[in-house]
């Protein structure tokens, strides 16, 4: 992580570079990153029948490690490195966790972390990413997210008023205050449920989170159904886009090289996987909040936003039990709608990326095979739809695009 400036960053220099805009950007990023995505993590835990203690441990391991990674990387590179958990990975786990015992899923988390770490530490990240058809990767994400998004709109038939209220709050928020749209949805839903409908407000005692160890049980089913798809989803849906955000913001490979960024986040995921860490990575949407000029006019001082994001995330990890207790106390339908609306943008991006006219018709058709397979939720030979989506999509891509060499 070579930097043209001195490697040593003193406390006095940090104080000198401090700014209210960088702090504000970090707060906005935290608020935007925890509303809907946290609801998705809770849903994944519920789908896997995790206990409250296991769910708390999962959230603790995620928040603490990506907070630590962001803090260290921002300090060492003097670049606003914003990290997060893999939201597409959490969505994937909503359908994948019920198919395997939790100990086998933990082994899958270990495998996913190890695969990404080996790719990162070897310096082969760019090579691997270039070999994966971009249309297939986009379709994989879109297919996983699409089925989940559909479930959001099925709530129209069970609680029409709540669904429509949250939907229109989201649309108005996207129109006038896009960064806070999901947070506004959460607040509106809570006001309706606890205020208008009179539901009991969850009692949330303040306490520190306690990690819970689960010994991994390595099985073929867990590795193929959880580990390998999770690694691919995290690499293509999060790490690759996280690097792209940094490059688009003007931070080149000398300032923020991919190797240490990918390696550290995946290593921390790997060693904390037994506590429920299914994967941390570079952030994309929340990163854009901290890497642009709104964070600081001077790009060299935006790293302050990265430091603050790391500190806030570590603190939230320490009180993960409070967050879990609150979200578990919310009506399940509110969580479903909140999580689904938070993914609309990601679903749109995935659909657009694989169906764009910039790709050849054959590439788009192969990607469609991946999308339809993943969206179907099919299970064959105890292997889930994500696995078959990758296999069938890559087979279709090869058949439709292969040309003989003369």
């Amino acid at each position: 992580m070579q930097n043209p400036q001195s490697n040593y960053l003193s406390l006095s220099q940090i104080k000198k570079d401090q700014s209210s805009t960088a702090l504000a950007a970090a707060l906005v990023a935290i608020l935007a990153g925890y509303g809907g995505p946290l609801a998705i993590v809770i849903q994944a835990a519920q789908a896997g029948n995790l206990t409250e203690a296991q769910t708390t441990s999962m959230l603790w391991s995620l928040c603490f490690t990506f907070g630590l990674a962001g803090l260290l990387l921002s300090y060492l590179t003097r670049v606003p490195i914003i990290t997060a958990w893999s939201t597409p990975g959490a969505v994937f786990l909503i359908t994948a966790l019920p198919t395997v015992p939790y100990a086998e899923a933990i082994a899958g988390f270990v495998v996913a972390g190890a695969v990404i770490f080996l790719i990162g530490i070897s310096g082969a990240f760019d090579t691997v990413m270039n070999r994966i058809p971009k249309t297939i990767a986009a379709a994989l994400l879109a297919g996983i997210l699409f089925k989940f998004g559909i479930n959001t709109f099925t709530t129209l038939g069970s609680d029409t008023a709540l669904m429509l209220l949250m939907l229109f709050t989201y649309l108005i928020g996207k129109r006038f205050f896009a960064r806070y749209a999901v947070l506004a949805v959460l607040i509106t839903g809570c006001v309706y449920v606890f205020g208008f409908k009179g539901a009991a407000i969850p009692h949330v005692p303040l306490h520190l989170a306690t990690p819970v160890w689960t010994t991994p049980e390595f099985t073929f089913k867990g590795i193929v159904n959880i580990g390998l798809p999770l690694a691919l989803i995290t690499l293509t849906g999060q790490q690759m886009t996280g690097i792209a955000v940094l490059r688009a913001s003007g931070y080149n490979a000398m300032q923020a090289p991919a190797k240490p960024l990918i390696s550290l986040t995946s290593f921390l995921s790997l060693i904390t996987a037994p506590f429920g860490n299914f994967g941390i990575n570079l952030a994309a949407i929340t990163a854009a909040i901290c890497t642009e000029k709104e964070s600081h006019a001077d790009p060299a001082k935006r790293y302050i936003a990265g430091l603050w994001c790391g500190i806030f995330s570590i603190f939230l990890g320490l009180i993960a039990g409070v967050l879990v207790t609150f979200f578990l106390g919310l009506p399940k339908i509110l969580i479903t709608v909140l999580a689904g609306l938070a993914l609309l943008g990601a679903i749109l991006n995935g659909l657009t990326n694989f169906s764009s006219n910039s790709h050849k018709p054959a590439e788009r058709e192969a990607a469609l095979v991946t999308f339809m397979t993943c969206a179907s939720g099919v299970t064959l030979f105890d292997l889930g739809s994500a696995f078959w989506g990758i296999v069938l999509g890559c087979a279709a891509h090869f058949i439709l695009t292969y040309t003989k060499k003369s």
Side-chain angles (χ1 to χ4, degrees), residues 4 17 29 102-103 182 203 207 247 262 275 279 289 297 333:
D17 293 342
Y102 187 52
V182 176
H203 175 62
H207 61 282
R247 299 292 179 262
I262 305 300
F275 297 108
I289 297 172
I333 190 170

Side-chain angles (χ1 to χ4, degrees), residues 72-93:
L72 290 175
L73 291 171
S74 295
Y75 175 84
L76 293 172
T77 63
R78 299 200 196 185
V79 170
I81 306 298
I82 312 302
T83 48
W85 59 65
S86 174
T87 298
V91 175
F92 163 69
L93 292 178

Side-chain angles (χ1 to χ4, degrees), residues 21 28 35 39 71 74 81 125 154 172 183 207 215 242 285 340 350 368 389:
T21 54
V28 171
L71 184 63
S74 295
I81 306 298
F125 176 75
T154 60
I172 293 170
L183 180 63
H207 61 282
T215 301
I285 297 174
L368 184 61

